[in-house]
């Protein structure tokens, strides 16, 4: 399982990388726009520096033609190098671009997936990651977990190396269900990761241990200063 951050906020990324075992960052145009009037490529380079060489960065194109998407992919790779994943909406023109870019060895994340067949076509077009939108599907009364399970079975049957990076989560139950449906990765707003640890019983368990130990061995005592 890969845990990926769905944000472009530098301080949020820094904090999450410090705390959690994180495998990468995904962005989309709306997420980048939230950061204000940034120099987009300088900002993406800063994220890339935070991530280091072993974590993935996924950046989305905006053009609605295959030619435009391929031109954006070329510029993106000029700025960020060949390790960047070019995130492409899974439209007919997007699939055309994926086929050509895959043939050139470009890393691809197929995004905006709301249906099984979008994902199946993206796999055949050479996508490395597939990003189904879990909460947005749920909002449309689409059974997102059925979609994830079918994509997972398709990958297994095709013996494909493509990975599902489930996206668009609004609660922890959706993340758990996606993982149980067999995805290889989830991309999550870091505030949802923080929410995992927000339960009062967890905080109480930790503070009770400290209280009991200090009552016996002295205030401020721990394994370093007995
Ligand atoms: O990366 C894009 C995807 O996560 C969309 O999420 O929260 O806008 O539905 P959301």
């Amino acid at each position: 399982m890969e845990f990926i951050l769905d944000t472009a906020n530098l301080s949020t990324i820094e904090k999450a990388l410090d705390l959690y075992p994180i495998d990468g960052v995904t962005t989309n145009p709306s997420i980048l726009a939230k950061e204000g009037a940034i120099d987009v490529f300088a900002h993406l380079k800063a994220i890339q520096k935070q991530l280091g060489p072993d974590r993935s960065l996924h950046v989305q194109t905006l053009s609605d033609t295959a030619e435009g998407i391929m031109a954006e992919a070329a510029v993106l790779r000029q700025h960020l190098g060949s390790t960047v994943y070019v995130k492409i909406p899974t439209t007919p023109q997007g699939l055309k671009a994926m086929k050509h870019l895959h043939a050139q060895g470009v890393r691809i994340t197929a995004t905006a997936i709301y249906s099984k067949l979008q994902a199946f076509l993206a796999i055949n077009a050479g996508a490395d990651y597939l990003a189904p939108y879990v909460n947005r599907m749920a909002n449309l009364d689409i059974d997102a977990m059925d979609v994830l399970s079918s994509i997972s079975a398709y990958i297994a049957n095709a013996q494909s190396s493509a990975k599902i990076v489930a996206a668009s989560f609004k609660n922890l139950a959706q993340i758990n269900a996606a993982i149980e449906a067999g995805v290889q990765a989830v991309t999550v707003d870091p505030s949802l990761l923080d929410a995992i640890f927000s339960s009062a019983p967890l905080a109480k368990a930790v503070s009770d241990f400290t209280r009991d130990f200090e009552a016996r061995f002295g205030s401020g005592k721990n394994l370093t200063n007995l």
Side-chain angles (χ1 to χ4, degrees):
M1 265 299 304
E2 295 174 28
F3 286 88
I4 297 180
L5 303 172
D6 205 17
T7 180
N9 185 269
L10 296 176
S11 58
T12 304
I13 293 169
E14 186 181 359
K15 180 184 157 217
L17 288 178
D18 183 46
L19 294 174
Y20 305 130
I22 296 299
D23 298 289
V25 162
T26 55
T27 68
N28 65 34
S30 305
I31 285 172
L32 283 173
K34 272 190 209 158
E35 297 309 305
I38 52 171
D39 174 332
V40 171
F41 286 114
H43 192 93
L44 290 169
K45 276 186 190 161
I47 295 175
Q48 201 173 41
K49 192 171 169 204
Q50 289 180 308
L51 292 174
D54 299 327
R55 300 185 182 95
S56 63
L57 175 62
H58 308 246
V59 183
Q60 193 165 324
T61 59
L62 291 121
S63 300
D64 59 6
T65 63
E67 293 68 27
I69 292 167
M70 288 189 281
E72 286 189 70
V75 173
L76 190 54
R77 284 160 55 90
Q78 272 167 22
H79 283 277
L80 299 178
S82 59
T83 58
V84 70
Y85 285 83
V86 182
K87 207 173 164 195
I88 302 172
T90 310
T91 61
Q93 291 292 318
L95 286 164
K96 178 178 172 181
M98 288 179 209
K99 288 193 296 176
H100 288 291
L101 290 170
H102 174 66
Q104 296 166 17
V106 174
R107 295 179 174 186
I108 297 164
T109 299
T111 194
I113 291 175
Y114 289 82
S115 72
K116 299 176 186 181
L117 278 160
Q118 262 182 300
F120 301 161
L121 289 170
I123 291 165
N124 287 14
D128 299 284
Y129 282 90
L130 311 146
Y133 283 178
V134 171
N135 190 64
R136 293 194 195 197
M137 281 192 262
N139 288 346
L140 296 170
D141 199 23
I142 298 168
D143 185 345
M145 296 313 141
D146 179 52
V147 172
L148 296 184
S149 299
S150 289
I151 301 171
S152 189
Y154 188 94
I155 287 171
N157 287 339
Q159 296 185 312
S160 165
S161 58
K163 298 177 184 176
I164 304 171
V165 53
S168 176
F169 292 107
K170 285 294 164 285
N171 59 60
L172 300 180
Q174 289 174 334
I175 299 173
N176 285 332
I179 292 170
E180 285 160 16
V183 305
Q184 289 77 21
V186 290
T187 184
V188 179
D189 185 301
S191 64
L192 263 186
L193 293 181
D194 295 337
I196 296 168
F197 308 99
S198 64
S199 84
L202 168 59
K204 183 172 184 319
V206 174
S207 69
D208 284 354
F209 291 134
T210 302
R211 181 203 60 209
D212 294 346
F213 194 83
E214 289 188 347
R216 172 63 61 195
F217 299 105
S219 178
K221 291 293 183 184
N222 61 44
L223 301 182
T224 70
N225 58 7
L226 289 170

